[in-house]
Amino acid sequence: MEQARATLKYSKEHEWVQVEGRIATVGITPYAQDCLGDMVFIDLPSVGDKLTVGDSFAVAESVKAASEIYAPVSGTVVAVNHELADAPEVLNTAPFDDGWIIKIDMSNPNELDDLMGATDYTTYIEGLV
Amino acid sequence: MVPFAGYNMPLHYPPGILAEHTHVRQAAGLFDVSHMGQILLEGETASAIQNFLQHITPSNFTHSVHGECQYTVLCNTSGGIEDDLITLRLDDTSFLLTVNAATKQADVAYLQNLAPAGITIKLLNRAILALQGPKAAHVMAQFAPGANIEDLPPMFATMLELGGVPLLISRTGYTGEDGFELSMPPEIAADVWHLLLDQPHVQPIGLAARDSLRLEAGFPLYGNDLSPTTTVVEAGLKWLCRHENLETCLGGPLLQQQLQHGTSHKRVGLVLNTAGVARAGALVFATDGQTQLGSLTSGGFAPSLQKSIGMAYLPHSYTTPGTQVLVLVRQKMLPATVHTVRFYRARQS
């Protein structure tokens, strides 16, 4: 599985961000799903929830452990991928595509500058034990 | 790889925990369980060894035949459990005890402390591989054609020669499926591992699936569900107590009392009614959300049920299957239902 896509941005907590205008689509990276293991449940936020960068907005429950997923940017949740509630395993099998978790209407797009590009993220995960 | 009882063991292999768990329930999974301890117990006479075993365990050893295995526990003077184990009668005066990894050194000390003169205790250096699943018997028939391993009765053991080296095979396991545990000198273990993996239907299985499989089957894990302060009666294991002369066992009189009058608490199963996973340590409350009843001694996701399950010691009045309780998971009170500990039963073939 490809570890990073050139068109996306990445957080240190292994979320990816796809930007289209003011909308940021967020998911977790292949590295993250591999560490967490088989997903069995996901606790999703609601449309309309307001997030500050760094807030935990979802909890991914895998067979091994529960892990929080953090907002890589601030804004309002405008879409939630409810398909994941019935099929959390999609986070493992298609983390970049069908595994998108939420879309955020960004309140401060400058926060994107704090995220890593694909090359930096790949280097970052290679450096992790 | 993760540390476990002083060993480095795979938590899972590349397929992952769910795939490995399902594979054991549908085909044949191979586990390296060499971390467990195998202790050889020898006495001078049949009655000496039998009396010793009946002193340290609540079980009946008067009728066991050569090759017969029994699940039992080592007791302390309070009737509590020092370890759970499988005994195998090798002959009139010797037994092989297969014990947990984390407790094997303590078990040797316990046995040495209690053994009368004439009984010797030796911790063996053996490797153990477990092949578990509905296809395990078929695999063994291919692996050792002519040895009729597939006809070995459950909870019985026999010797098998492989390239001139004797292996001890028992039809025992910790998954709730049919299966075999193979005990051998460590020098041949890698070869046997590869030979078995080469067989169709066989995949390697890690520690995490081992735990989810045994949890579904209702088997306790020593250190979590059993401890020096739990008795076999509280643990729902009173079936392994002998009917006569139980008082000769350590803690025997207390066990007799509990068998007669019941216990304040009992180990039960719990199933979460909603999404989420409750793990060991999660607090259990009555539906009033205030009265704390206990905590999960084991817990995790059950792939065969697609639900979160666990075990807990609850007060007697809350132990009827169907009773509703609450389990505190990440600051939320999740509704759960009391269940027998046997969440899963293998189909009889």
Side-chain angles (χ1 to χ4, degrees), chain A residues 38 40-41 43 59 61-66, chain B residues 11-12 17-18 275-277 279 301 330 332:
Chain A
D38 296 321
V40 294
F41 295 116
D43 229 342
V59 180
E61 189 94 58
S62 75
V63 180
K64 287 193 233 180
Chain B
L11 191 67
H12 62 87
I17 302 167
L18 293 181
V277 180
R279 301 180 198 270
F301 184 72
R330 282 183 289 109
K332 279 196 274 199

Side-chain angles (χ1 to χ4, degrees), chain B residues 38-43 46 49-50 53 60-62 64-65 68-70 86-98 120 122 124:
Chain B
Q38 295 211 296
I39 302 171
L40 181 63
L41 214 62
E42 289 177 302
I49 196 96
Q50 179 191 293
L53 284 168
N60 186 345
F61 288 91
T62 55
S64 68
V65 300
E68 189 175 344
C69 299
Q70 283 178 236
I86 302 272
T87 62
L88 160 60
R89 181 188 273 283
L90 297 170
D91 56 43
D92 286 350
T93 56
S94 61
F95 280 79
L96 183 70
L97 311 186
T98 304
T120 57
K122 189 170 168 211
L124 303 177

Side-chain angles (χ1 to χ4, degrees), chain B residues 36-331:
Chain B
M36 294 200 290
Q38 295 211 296
I39 302 171
L40 181 63
L41 214 62
E42 289 177 302
E44 281 163 357
T45 64
S47 61
I49 196 96
Q50 179 191 293
N51 288 342
F52 181 53
L53 284 168
Q54 298 208 166
H55 179 55
I56 59 178
T57 80
S59 298
N60 186 345
F61 288 91
T62 55
H63 302 302
S64 68
V65 300
H66 296 187
E68 189 175 344
C69 299
Q70 283 178 236
Y71 173 65
T72 188
V73 300
L74 299 177
C75 288
N76 57 40
T77 52
S78 319
I81 300 169
E82 293 295 315
D83 204 359
D84 67 342
L85 67 155
I86 302 272
T87 62
L88 160 60
R89 181 188 273 283
L90 297 170
D91 56 43
D92 286 350
T93 56
S94 61
F95 280 79
L96 183 70
L97 311 186
T98 304
V99 298
N100 285 291
T103 41
K104 61 185 171 184
Q105 298 298 343
D107 290 346
V108 170
Y110 164 97
L111 292 166
Q112 282 169 339
N113 217 18
L114 292 165
I119 304 241
T120 57
I121 291 125
K122 189 170 168 211
L123 179 63
L124 303 177
N125 184 23
R126 309 273 293 174
I128 311 174
L129 302 181
L131 183 71
Q132 305 280 310
K135 299 217 160 74
H138 174 79
V139 171
M140 289 309 297
Q142 306 294 308
F143 177 71
N148 291 332
I149 298 297
E150 65 277 15
D151 292 335
L152 188 62
M155 295 301 277
F156 271 80
T158 190
M159 295 298 283
L160 178 72
E161 255 204 27
L162 196 69
V165 182
L167 268 65
L168 184 59
I169 300 196
S170 59
R171 201 155 190 167
T172 50
Y174 195 47
T175 61
E177 297 295 331
D178 184 25
F180 301 85
E181 292 177 309
L182 292 72
S183 166
M184 67 202 78
E187 304 79 63
I188 65 163
D191 287 338
V192 178
W193 173 266
H194 288 296
L195 283 170
L196 283 169
L197 275 188
D198 280 343
Q199 299 291 321
H201 311 299
V202 182
Q203 297 279 347
I205 312 294
L207 263 188
R210 181 167 167 80
D211 192 52
S212 53
L213 287 160
R214 70 93 191 165
L215 185 62
E216 283 185 349
F219 300 156
L221 173 63
Y222 188 78
N224 281 43
D225 313 298
L226 304 176
S227 77
T229 55
T230 59
T231 70
V232 289
V233 187
E234 290 162 337
L237 300 175
K238 63 182 181 185
W239 57 267
L240 57 80
C241 291
R242 55 182 178 270
H243 299 299
E244 280 158 3
N245 306 315
L246 186 56
E247 66 280 356
T248 64
C249 170
L250 289 171
L254 176 74
L255 295 180
Q256 283 173 320
Q257 211 191 41
Q258 289 191 341
L259 286 169
Q260 220 179 359
H261 301 293
T263 55
S264 61
H265 287 67
K266 205 183 110 176
R267 179 175 66 110
V268 294
L270 286 171
V271 185
L272 282 196
N273 302 350
T274 59
V277 180
R279 301 180 198 270
L283 298 177
V284 182
F285 292 83
T287 47
D288 65 5
Q290 305 267 354
T291 316
Q292 194 176 312
L293 304 177
S295 61
L296 292 197
T297 49
S298 284
F301 184 72
S304 306
L305 290 84
Q306 291 294 296
K307 284 179 182 287
S308 175
I309 63 174
M311 295 176 181
Y313 285 81
L314 296 186
H316 194 82
S317 56
Y318 289 88
T319 57
T320 308
T323 304
Q324 295 299 303
V325 294
L326 294 170
V327 182
L328 185 62
V329 178
R330 282 183 289 109
Q331 288 130 36

Side-chain angles (χ1 to χ4, degrees), chain A residues 64-82:
Chain A
K64 287 193 233 180
S67 299
E68 302 192 86
I69 304 174
Y70 300 98
V73 292
S74 309
T76 308
V77 177
V78 294
V80 172
N81 185 358
H82 290 292

Side-chain angles (χ1 to χ4, degrees), chain A residues 81-120:
Chain A
N81 185 358
H82 290 292
E83 308 267 305
L84 294 177
D86 292 323
E89 64 274 13
V90 172
L91 289 167
N92 296 115
T93 55
F96 280 134
D97 301 301
D98 291 340
W100 70 271
I101 306 174
I102 60 171
K103 291 183 195 286
I104 301 174
D105 183 351
M106 292 186 280
S107 54
N108 185 2
N110 291 331
E111 288 166 342
L112 292 169
D113 298 337
D114 298 328
L115 300 173
M116 291 178 266
T119 323
D120 285 345

